[in-house]
Amino acid sequence: MKLVVKVIEARNVPAMDLNGLSDPYVRIHLGKQRSRTKVVKKCLNPYWGDEFCFRVDDLSDELVISVLDEDKYFNDDFIGLVKFPVSRVFDSPDKSLGTAWYSLLPKTKKSKPKDCGEICLHIYLSQNTSFLDLSTAPSLKTPRNDNAGLHLKLNSLPPRLDPCSISFDDTSENVNPEFPEDPPSPSSFDDQIKTMQGRDQGVELPTNLPGGVLLDQLYSISSSELNALLFSPDSKFPVTLAEFQGKTELHFGQWEFENDTFKRLNTYLTPPSKLSKSLKAFETQTYKLANANSFAILISVSTPDVIYGSTFRVEMLFCITPGPDLPSGEQSSRLLTSWGMNFVQSTMMKGMIENGARPAVKESFDQLSTVLSQHVKPVDIKGTGSQKDQLLASLQVETQSNWKLAVQYFANITVVSTIIIGIYVFIHICLATPSTVQGLEFVGLDLPDSIGEVIVCGVLVLQLKRIFDLVVRFMQARSQSQKGSDHGIKAQGDGWMLTVALIEGISLAAVDSTGFSDPYVVFTCNGRTRTSSIKFQKLDPKWNEIFEFDAMDEPPSVLEVEVFDFDGPFDEATSLGHAEINFLKANISELADVSVPLQGKLAQAWQSKLRLRIFVDDTRSGNAVREYLEKMEKEVGKKINQRSPQTNSAFQKLFCLPQEEFLINDFTCHLKRKMPLQGRLFLSPRVIGFHASLFGHKTNFFFLWEDVEDIQVASPNISSMGSPIVVITLRKGKGLDAKHGARTQDEEGRLKFYFHSFVSFTMAHRTVMALWKARSLSPEQKVKIVEEESETTSLQTEESGTFVGDEDVSMTEVYSSALSVPMNFLMELFSGGEVDRRVMERTGCLNYSCSPWELDKDVYERQVCYKFDKRISSYKGEVTSIQQKSSLPEQNGWLIEEILTLHGIPLGDYFNLHLRYQLEDRAKSCSVKVSFGIAWLKRTKHQKRISKNILSNLVDRLKVMFATVEKEYVNGR
């Protein structure tokens, strides 16, 4: 008999090191047998996933599991332990304690009570007695850095034993014991799936993971057969795929039910790459859904040996659903896979980890698609109809007779009370005898003879008026419903086609006195609206209506959705909630079936939602980008060249935009906030974005052209360094995601953005205005726009694919010297005073001006502006720079970093210059070290030539600068 102990993970481990973390590992004792897990560095919630086997000789033995903190120089610190008598496992059902969390206890009962954390274990007894004698094995206590392990042939391992189960010294030879396998599971994989299908009735298919879709393909195989091919333990496909991917030491665990969860654990060694060696990977496969013919399997992969491996899991979701019937009569299935990163601990390396994992995951699924296509025939989606046609064809329009709708609508207290009053009056007329003519009455005119009769007549007239309004309202609403019952309005033209399927509403607010509402939905996109039919007296209405918008030249940016309650043709409709679907921030594939939460007081109180299916397609069969650029050339009056795929890809990645968004132009400029921030302005058909990276701090935002209310040009001033300012004002409540880039917010809550210091202001302003007019103005307003004068100069193209700040600038030391001046006098060079001004003029910098130093996030910062003398540059270009000043750590000195932008110089917008001054105080003298680097914003074949010219000029200026400082100090004395 053997005891199997699986050490999974721990949580809330107390910090034992001075850095507030621990290096935990687990030591296991059973009699004279010992073993231990690997060490997880700097972690309070470690994950091990190790499994160990021990021979059981006496049921009275006690299993002791201790958690310790590794220490390099002293004895390891004890954290906590948990004890189990073997008899407890033997007496438990199925001889297994299952997977459970256990609280770690102090070493002795006399110890002060404290929280030692918890550990997750899975312990069970196996009747298999053919077992390696651990007592004769070498010592199990191995050094921390030894990659110890017994190399076993995986095909001879028991199904529940991982390759990392037993740890031996490196000096031990590879052994290959013959382990008889555990008794087979009493139920087969198919039976277990059927068990899950009985449990998962009514469970919805999980949504795609946030990392994006990796594979979406139809295959000529049923969904149940595809599920068995990918995940059945009898299938040879996983082994073939692993061999194709270069994985070794494969071990596939058994499918088991744990706490009503159907899962298994696989282990393997990943193939070595250029960046890492072969790593041990633990892969947990869990069924999230097995309902009828639909399956959802979540795969979580952990690689603890990689750097920061204990902080994240790579997750992949496999969704297998039935596809359309093929023309040959065969069944088909759809495989949709997505991925995401699950960070179990916070880390500053999150972005780097995601960027590093993305290409590896994509390559893995490309290999999966290749191998799967060799086993199962892929189906061309075009031959079977698109996903859009399949989903829309499944909609069944709810039809109701006019009589049924009339009964539902008119069955209310108003109609009933009016009928009762009418019957009462009619019976009264029949029973009453004619009265004598008196007063102002004459034959045929009978006036009320009392106040009571006047009141009754007034009530009857009011009730009849209300009944008349109800009838008119019903007839108008019913005619509108008839228009919406034929799947909406068919769109016309070629271009970007937006199709919206309105399925149903969920928990809409009740605003009528009857406790219900008469809801209808209005969709607005690019100034065009579509209105649904009205559903009477419903809080969970089902529409099943489809609306198509006429083809648009550019892809739509935003779809506005608002739900109203119908109160009649002349009454103001009550809003039941609204929502905004931003196509630039949403994954189009995820909008194929989405529940949209509504905003607004009523909607949020009732937690109202709308279920929609949204599709965006381009029906044109030509170069839409080229056609759009030609149209914009007429507005701008300049030649606009199409960008390369690399440039567009870099632009999309920078702002996380969809693939259909393309870059038109980008300009170097300053963003005016509390302090001017130099960066680049990016223009595309749907968005205007800004990106900057200043000393490692990145600023990145964008907003929609449709959200822009006004664009004005402010006159130049000192704060804008003599450059005109483009002031962009957004509509109220729009662009809140870009609020951190706004200069001000007016009384009405509108954000204002200030951009200035363009290399070519006219070019930038004309392009901005043309894009705004083409996107945001209505067709009527566009007709009234008078074409501006065209210019013959062509618009400069910027065929780069790189942007400022995406990569760190490589700095090289270009000047070093020891100056016989004190530190306080040397810092006058960066004070903005007379010494600073005279030194800069001596080096050929004219019209020198600078702003005072301002403290921003523990760093001092200022803006500098000057022009070159003709002997420095024949173009007499202008320079704007941003300087940051901070004290050197543990040294008596200063570190000054500077980013310079050149204006009015050929190719000046192709690069930024980075300078770093390191000033150290040494008694009565100072040490100066200057480093230099160039951040290339665009590619040019003259990079080496430009770099050489700038470097030689810079070194000469630095020599003159610091020589002048020494002379100023001597003269001042």
Side-chain angles (χ1 to χ4, degrees), residues 554-789:
E554 303 89 31
S557 305
V558 174
L559 174 66
E560 296 179 355
V561 184
E562 190 156 11
V563 184
F564 293 97
D565 175 66
F566 184 75
D567 288 330
F570 304 109
D571 294 333
E572 183 178 356
T574 302
S575 176
L576 303 181
H578 60 87
E580 182 180 273
I581 299 173
N582 192 319
F583 296 110
L584 290 158
K585 298 179 180 179
N587 191 334
I588 297 297
S589 61
E590 295 179 357
L591 297 179
D593 195 347
V594 62
S595 293
V596 181
L598 299 178
Q599 303 297 322
K601 294 182 179 179
L602 288 174
Q604 292 177 346
W606 286 72
Q607 296 183 351
S608 304
K609 295 181 180 179
L610 278 185
R611 187 182 171 197
L612 306 173
R613 290 177 179 173
I614 304 173
F615 305 92
V616 181
D617 303 300
D618 190 4
T619 61
R620 289 171 295 193
S621 59
N623 191 346
V625 176
R626 183 65 262 169
E627 295 175 0
Y628 181 83
L629 293 179
E630 290 176 354
K631 182 182 70 174
M632 291 309 304
E633 287 173 357
K634 299 178 181 178
E635 294 287 342
V636 180
K638 298 177 182 290
K639 177 68 175 177
I640 301 179
N641 291 336
Q642 185 173 345
R643 298 305 182 87
S644 65
Q646 294 80 7
T647 303
N648 285 320
S649 176
F651 166 67
Q652 295 159 5
K653 180 181 178 181
L654 188 62
F655 294 100
C656 300
L657 298 174
Q659 294 182 353
E660 64 268 14
E661 195 68 15
F662 59 93
L663 179 64
I664 292 179
N665 208 345
D666 60 294
F667 303 95
T668 301
C669 68
H670 281 74
L671 173 67
K672 185 178 180 182
R673 296 186 297 183
K674 182 179 180 181
M675 289 290 294
L677 179 65
Q678 190 232 320
R680 297 188 71 80
L681 191 69
F682 297 90
L683 308 177
S684 76
R686 290 192 287 183
V687 303
I688 177 171
F690 180 83
H691 173 80
S693 180
L694 183 63
F695 308 110
H697 177 71
K698 294 185 178 181
T699 301
N700 202 44
F701 64 85
F702 73 87
F703 48 83
L704 303 177
W705 288 111
E706 297 176 356
D707 295 340
V708 177
E709 181 177 282
D710 188 25
I711 299 179
Q712 295 180 348
V713 177
S715 58
N717 50 44
I718 298 177
S719 62
S720 66
M721 294 166 288
S723 172
I725 305 175
V726 176
V727 182
I728 299 179
T729 305
L730 302 188
R731 303 181 192 276
K732 183 179 180 180
K734 299 295 184 179
L736 298 180
D737 293 342
K739 187 176 181 180
H740 60 281
R743 174 75 169 109
T744 59
Q745 188 173 8
D746 61 14
E747 298 177 354
E748 299 180 5
R750 299 178 300 180
L751 299 176
K752 293 180 178 291
F753 297 81
Y754 291 69
F755 302 97
H756 63 94
S757 296
F758 292 95
V759 176
S760 175
F761 175 80
T762 302
M763 186 187 307
H765 178 251
R766 289 173 64 88
T767 307
V768 168
M769 293 300 296
L771 287 170
W772 175 53
K773 293 176 182 178
R775 189 71 195 188
S776 62
L777 301 183
S778 64
E780 293 77 10
Q781 291 173 315
K782 293 179 182 178
V783 173
K784 297 179 181 180
I785 297 176
V786 180
E787 296 184 358
E788 300 179 359
E789 296 182 0

Side-chain angles (χ1 to χ4, degrees), residues 491-492 496-498 522-531 548-554 556 558-560 778-779 782:
Q492 299 178 355
W496 288 94
M497 195 79 70
L498 173 61
V522 177
F523 300 97
T524 305
C525 183
N526 281 3
R528 303 163 185 169
T529 61
R530 297 289 183 266
T531 305
E548 293 181 341
F549 288 78
D550 291 337
M552 294 165 275
D553 293 334
E554 303 89 31
V558 174
L559 174 66
E560 296 179 355
S778 64
K782 293 179 182 178

Side-chain angles (χ1 to χ4, degrees), residues 316-336:
M316 295 158 284
L317 180 64
F318 285 68
C319 294
I320 304 174
T321 55
D325 292 337
L326 302 179
S328 60
E330 299 177 347
Q331 293 182 342
S332 69
S333 60
R334 180 190 179 197
L335 175 61
L336 179 64

Side-chain angles (χ1 to χ4, degrees), residues 71-110:
D71 200 313
K72 287 185 178 181
Y73 307 105
F74 303 98
N75 293 332
D76 294 347
D77 299 323
F78 177 82
I79 296 178
L81 60 79
V82 61
K83 299 180 180 180
F84 298 94
V86 178
S87 58
R88 175 182 170 184
V89 185
F90 183 81
D91 296 335
S92 61
D94 300 328
K95 293 182 174 51
S96 173
L97 298 181
T99 302
W101 286 91
Y102 301 93
S103 298
L104 295 172
L105 304 176
K107 200 167 190 177
T108 61
K109 294 183 179 180
K110 296 181 180 180

Side-chain angles (χ1 to χ4, degrees), residues 44 81 107 235 242 244 267 419 422 451 455 533 555 644 679 714 721 730 758 775 815 867 897 911:
L44 300 181
L81 60 79
K107 200 167 190 177
S235 174
F244 184 81
T267 59
I419 293 175
I451 297 299
I455 294 175
S533 61
S644 65
M721 294 166 288
L730 302 188
F758 292 95
R775 189 71 195 188
Y815 179 83
K867 290 184 179 181
E897 296 185 87
F911 55 85

